[in-house]
């Protein structure tokens, strides 16, 4: 099984989709640790239900992004993770973290990249008036939301949509693609390292 570390900031519905896919044996992996940064984030309750140990690293107590990332790397190493999955992690990560797990960090973003990078991607899509948006699983590089695209899914934008209704339509697709995208990324990484 792939040894996964997972990082989340909020609700953690993607965390749950991945944990459930593992429990259902749809994804051959093990969740070694959840790192979260907001005390009281709902994702912690989900981790308890799936027996995944969780570690709070509150960014507010660190002096810089790099110091937070050093603590993250240390925690991930302690839990012997091979792949890092960012599932609604709302902090920008630095080369300290990225270089510790080269080509083995994934993120999910609620738009069809390269459109609507950065914060509030769902609101950006609504404001732009696009008729189709979606979600993207991609590799993490220093440039925000710019790594290799692993998998995408599209959803329609309806005339009646609010950010909430559009976000929940996107969430359904995120939950569907993230487990398979993890398996696909790990598979292609192994194939490439044979070359
Ligand atoms: C997801 O929609 C994810 O794509 C987005 O946050 C949500 C987290 O939901 N991520 C970003 O916006 C990253 N910049 P969840 O906590 O229910 O998984």
């Amino acid at each position: 099984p792939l040894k996964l570390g997972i990082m989340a900031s909020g609700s953690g519905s993607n965390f749950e989709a991945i944990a459930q896919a593992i429990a259902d044996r749809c994804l051959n992996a093990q969740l070694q640790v959840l790192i979260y940064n907001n005390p009281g984030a709902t994702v912690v309750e989900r981790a308890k239900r799936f027996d995944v140990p969780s570690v709070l690293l509150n960014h507010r107590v660190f002096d810089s992004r790099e110091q937070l990332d050093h603590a993250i790397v240390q925690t991930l190493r302690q839990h012997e993770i091979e792949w890092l999955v960012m599932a609604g992690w709302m902090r920008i990560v630095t080369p300290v973290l990225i270089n510790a797990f080269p080509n083995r960090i994934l993120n999910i973003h609620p738009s069809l990249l390269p459109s609507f990078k950065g914060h509030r991607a769902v609101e950006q899509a609504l404001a732009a008036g696009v008729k189709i948006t979606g979600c993207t699983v991609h590799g993490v590089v220093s440039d925000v939301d710019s790594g290799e695209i692993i998998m995408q899914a599209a959803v329609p934008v309806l005339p009646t949509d609010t950010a909430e209704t559009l976000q929940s339509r996107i969430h359904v697709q995120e939950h569907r693609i993230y487990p398979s995208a993890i398996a696909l990324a790990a598979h292609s990484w192994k194939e490439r390292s044979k070359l």
Side-chain angles (χ1 to χ4, degrees), residues 84-96:
L84 175 58
V85 172
M86 303 195 340
W89 179 257
M90 298 303 181
R91 310 295 305 169
I92 290 174
V93 296
T94 71
V96 169

Side-chain angles (χ1 to χ4, degrees), residues 8-16 43 46 87-90 107-111 118-122 135-136 144-145 167 170-171 174-175:
S9 297
S11 155
S13 69
N14 279 287
F15 170 94
E16 173 134 5
V43 67
R46 303 192 201 248
W89 179 257
M90 298 303 181
N107 182 45
I108 192 155
H109 184 77
S111 76
H119 279 305
R120 304 179 72 81
V122 177
C135 53
T136 303
V144 173
D145 300 327
Q167 171 69 256
I170 291 172
H171 258 138
E174 292 189 334
H175 303 159

Side-chain angles (χ1 to χ4, degrees), residues 1-23:
L2 297 170
K3 293 180 176 180
L4 306 181
I6 190 156
M7 308 209 301
S9 297
S11 155
S13 69
N14 279 287
F15 170 94
E16 173 134 5
I18 293 163
Q20 192 60 53
I22 294 171

